[in-house]
Amino acid sequence: SRIQPEACDSEGIQHSLQLVFSEKSTISESAGPEVFPPMPNPTTGSARLPLRLNTPEMVLLEISDLSGRLIWSSVATLESGAHFLEIPASATAQTGVYVWRVYAGSMMQSGRLLRL
């Protein structure tokens, strides 16, 4: 028997996976910031959000509960390049689901972080 690759979305619905390879595009200087999923997620303590900036930016990281109440934030001015935004364990002290938001320049990106 063959193993079938699959992934589950946030509702628990299974989806098949297929890798698609394409030519790598070069990032121009005008391309915006990129924020990647937190690691680890779920977490039992702190987590890190990978971030890539093409220009120096002031970066705001916010952690909210699911009701939208802001519970932690951090602001930093970062140079262009790759960075990790640290989410300390104290920012997500209780088990549950949290919402992270990153603002950099005109970009805002958000996602969820599960604390076990």
Side-chain angles (χ1 to χ4, degrees), residues 83-104:
H83 304 276
F84 285 104
L85 302 177
E86 297 288 335
I87 302 171
S90 61
T92 58
Q94 303 293 320
T95 60
V97 178
Y98 294 87
V99 176
W100 58 265
R101 282 185 198 81
V102 173
Y103 299 87

Side-chain angles (χ1 to χ4, degrees), residues 53-109:
L53 300 174
N54 294 315
T55 58
E57 296 282 358
M58 187 169 81
V59 177
L60 170 63
L61 170 60
E62 294 180 339
I63 304 297
S64 301
D65 62 19
L66 286 179
S67 70
R69 183 175 57 93
L70 179 66
I71 56 175
W72 184 85
S73 67
S74 173
V75 177
T77 301
L78 302 174
E79 296 299 317
S80 60
H83 304 276
F84 285 104
L85 302 177
E86 297 288 335
I87 302 171
S90 61
T92 58
Q94 303 293 320
T95 60
V97 178
Y98 294 87
V99 176
W100 58 265
R101 282 185 198 81
V102 173
Y103 299 87
S106 61
M107 182 274 311
M108 188 284 287
Q109 193 166 335

Side-chain angles (χ1 to χ4, degrees), residues 10-89:
S10 61
E11 281 80 40
I13 299 171
Q14 292 182 349
H15 301 275
S16 61
L17 292 178
Q18 179 180 1
L19 293 178
V20 178
F21 296 94
S22 62
E23 301 258 341
K24 184 177 179 184
S25 63
T26 57
I27 298 174
S28 70
E29 285 299 312
S30 62
E34 292 181 274
V35 180
F36 302 95
M39 309 178 315
N41 191 10
T43 184
T44 56
S46 62
R48 299 166 80 183
L49 270 166
L51 170 72
R52 177 172 293 121
L53 300 174
N54 294 315
T55 58
E57 296 282 358
M58 187 169 81
V59 177
L60 170 63
L61 170 60
E62 294 180 339
I63 304 297
S64 301
D65 62 19
L66 286 179
S67 70
R69 183 175 57 93
L70 179 66
I71 56 175
W72 184 85
S73 67
S74 173
V75 177
T77 301
L78 302 174
E79 296 299 317
S80 60
H83 304 276
F84 285 104
L85 302 177
E86 297 288 335
I87 302 171

